[in-house]
Structures are given as C-alpha cells and as structure tokens.
Amino acid sequence: MAAKGFISYWWLPIISALVWVGMLLGLLLHWVIDDDHQPYDYEDPKVRVVFISNIGAGNLQPLFIAGSCISCFFLDASMLASRWLKHHGRLVPNDTPGQLWLAILTIIFAIIGTAGLILLSIFDTKNHHRLHYIFLLFFLGGYMLSAIFTCWEYQRLGIKHRDQRDLRTSFWIKLVIVLVETALAVGFVSTTFTKHRNTAAIIEWTVAFLFTFFILSFIIDLYPAVYTKSHANRYEKRSPQDVEEAASGANSPHCQSHTNTTGAF
C-alpha cells in the first residue's frame, strides 16, 4: 500500500481531515456569502449564528451528507488500519487482552459515531427535528467514547513500551483534545437545552473544527508503519516477562532500528 514510504496508511487521516474541513468551510462560506449570514425562515429571527445542521438542511445538504460519509469512512479506516498494522507487527502490538479490547471498543464506538453523523445529515433538523437530535447524541457520544478508549489504549501501550516516544505523544495530544472536546460538548448540550442558541452555535462550530485535530492525531499512530515494511524491522509480540520488564523501565531489544529514548509516561 505504500509507494517509496510516502503514500502510506498515514494518508488516511489526512484525507479525512481535509474533507471534513472542506465541508465545514463550504457550509460556513455559503451561509456568510450566499445567504448574507441571515437566519433561516424556520429559525428564531434573533439568531446571529446558525448551527451547522441548519445550513446542511438546505441546498447544501448533499455536501453535508457526502462530506460526513467520506470523512467518517477515512477516519474509521485509519482506526481499522491501526488495528491491522498492530496485528501484523507493523506498529507496536497489543501485548495484553485488555489493550486489545480497548482497541476493539475504539472501533465499535467510532462506528456508532459514524452512523450518528451520517444519519443526522440525512434526517435534517428542518424536517426531522427530533430524530436529528437523537442522531446528534449518537455522534457525540460515539466518538467521545471512541476517543476515550483510544486514549486509554495508548496510555497502556506507552507504559509497557516506554522506548516508543510516539505512543506518549499520541496519548497526550489525544487526551488534551478529549478533555477540551468533552468540556465543549457539555457546554453545547446545556446551552442548547437552555435556549442560548447563539452560544450553542458558536460552541458547535468550535467542536467541529477542533475535531479535525483529533483526526490528524492518527497520523502520529500510523506514520511509524513506513519504517516496518521489511519483515526484519517489524515488532514481535512480547512475552509477559518482557512486558513486565518494559513496564519497569527496562530496555527492549526488539525493533531497535526505529525506537526512541526511554522516558516516563
């Protein structure tokens, strides 16, 4: 799948992020330029900032649906690729059943989030208001739990593979994004239900654009696979004794060709 180490699995999250940002900018610019940043006829006329879904319920609904589908497809493909690469030794493998289950839960809840986003783009807020908000909760909850489980997985991997700096970097970046997104999601839900529409809309746009950085964080996870195309450079699943030694800070002899300096996780 890789050509000279450049076109490889790490392009999956880049494609997802580009499509996601392109869709958001397309919707935003359409409202600002074509609609003269005015509220729609089915909204409160006092609204100053419209929700993403309100723009996506009009003429640009095909863009909203297509952008959501393509972005989620490549994001989920990134997670599936990570699992496949770990299983085949192209990335640091899951050493314990617990790590494996965290990886599986990450994918399961990402699929739930994907279904929620695609369905909310189809069942628009103008004609299917109640269903739209139900699917919105599926989208937020699914990807929030997926992000939590992937953080948990990389935290456990980082403890048992202290020589892999990429694992620590990925964990901390994802953790910061998850904490900020969780706080914003709580703010969005509370301001929506308390009818503070403008504030809720601003938070929604912020959450959506910040989601881009969560997608891009998977580049850190997938890029090391560029160096493990050769069987000689691939990781081997460690025995329980090796795992315990690594967790205690001992240096691991495997895959020394692309390991990093030991550090505290």
Side-chain angles (χ1 to χ4, degrees):
M1 187 168 177
K4 297 182 179 179
F6 182 71
I7 301 177
S8 188
Y9 296 94
W10 60 276
W11 272 97
L12 293 172
I14 292 179
I15 296 172
S16 176
L18 289 175
V19 173
W20 180 254
V21 171
M23 179 194 71
L24 292 177
L25 290 177
L27 294 173
L28 182 60
L29 292 175
H30 171 76
W31 174 64
V32 171
I33 299 173
D34 297 333
D35 295 334
D36 196 26
H37 52 78
Q38 295 297 316
Y40 296 105
D41 53 10
Y42 55 90
E43 287 186 301
D44 185 340
K46 296 180 181 179
V47 168
R48 297 293 182 183
V49 183
V50 300
F51 290 101
I52 298 171
S53 299
N54 288 337
I55 307 173
N59 295 331
L60 291 189
Q61 187 177 27
L63 172 65
F64 191 28
I65 295 174
S68 299
C69 291
I70 296 172
S71 298
C72 287
F73 173 80
F74 281 99
L75 175 55
D76 292 352
S78 300
M79 297 180 184
L80 289 169
S82 176
R83 173 86 284 280
W84 187 87
L85 291 167
K86 290 172 185 173
H87 180 71
H88 290 274
R90 296 283 303 277
L91 295 174
V92 177
N94 298 118
D95 294 308
T96 65
Q99 293 174 12
L100 178 59
W101 274 108
L102 289 172
I104 293 173
L105 288 172
T106 293
I107 296 172
I108 290 174
F109 282 104
I111 293 173
I112 293 174
T114 293
L117 179 58
I118 293 174
L119 289 172
L120 74 84
S121 67
I122 296 172
F123 294 93
D124 60 82
T125 185
K126 179 180 178 180
N127 301 306
H128 309 277
H129 190 74
R130 184 180 180 84
L131 275 176
H132 180 83
Y133 275 99
I134 291 174
F135 293 134
L136 176 61
L137 292 176
F138 272 88
F139 166 59
L140 291 175
Y143 272 114
M144 197 65 65
L145 288 171
S146 177
I148 290 172
F149 283 121
T150 195
C151 278
W152 195 353
E153 178 195 359
Y154 277 86
Q155 188 261 349
R156 301 309 304 167
L157 279 171
I159 288 176
K160 299 181 184 299
H161 296 269
R162 294 179 181 269
D163 52 340
Q164 300 298 317
R165 186 177 298 172
D166 293 336
L167 296 174
R168 300 197 303 276
T169 302
S170 178
F171 165 74
W172 285 112
I173 290 175
K174 286 183 173 65
L175 179 62
V176 170
I177 295 173
V178 166
L179 293 176
V180 175
E181 288 276 52
T182 300
L184 289 172
V186 171
F188 170 72
V189 172
S190 63
T191 52
T192 298
F193 282 98
T194 55
K195 309 299 183 182
H196 292 84
R197 301 296 187 187
N198 291 316
T199 303
I202 293 172
I203 294 175
E204 183 189 48
W205 283 100
T206 304
V207 169
F209 278 108
L210 186 58
F211 186 63
T212 308
F213 294 98
F214 174 71
I215 298 174
L216 291 174
S217 71
F218 286 91
I219 297 174
I220 303 172
D221 306 337
L222 296 172
Y223 191 79
V226 170
Y227 304 107
T228 55
K229 289 183 292 180
S230 169
H231 285 277
N233 291 332
R234 295 190 181 184
Y235 295 90
E236 294 181 3
K237 198 167 185 178
R238 295 195 255 187
S239 67
Q241 182 180 356
D242 291 335
V243 171
E244 290 302 321
E245 289 177 356
S248 302
N251 290 326
S252 174
H254 81 291
C255 226
Q256 292 294 331
S257 59
H258 57 279
T259 54
N260 294 298
T261 306
T262 301
F265 190 72

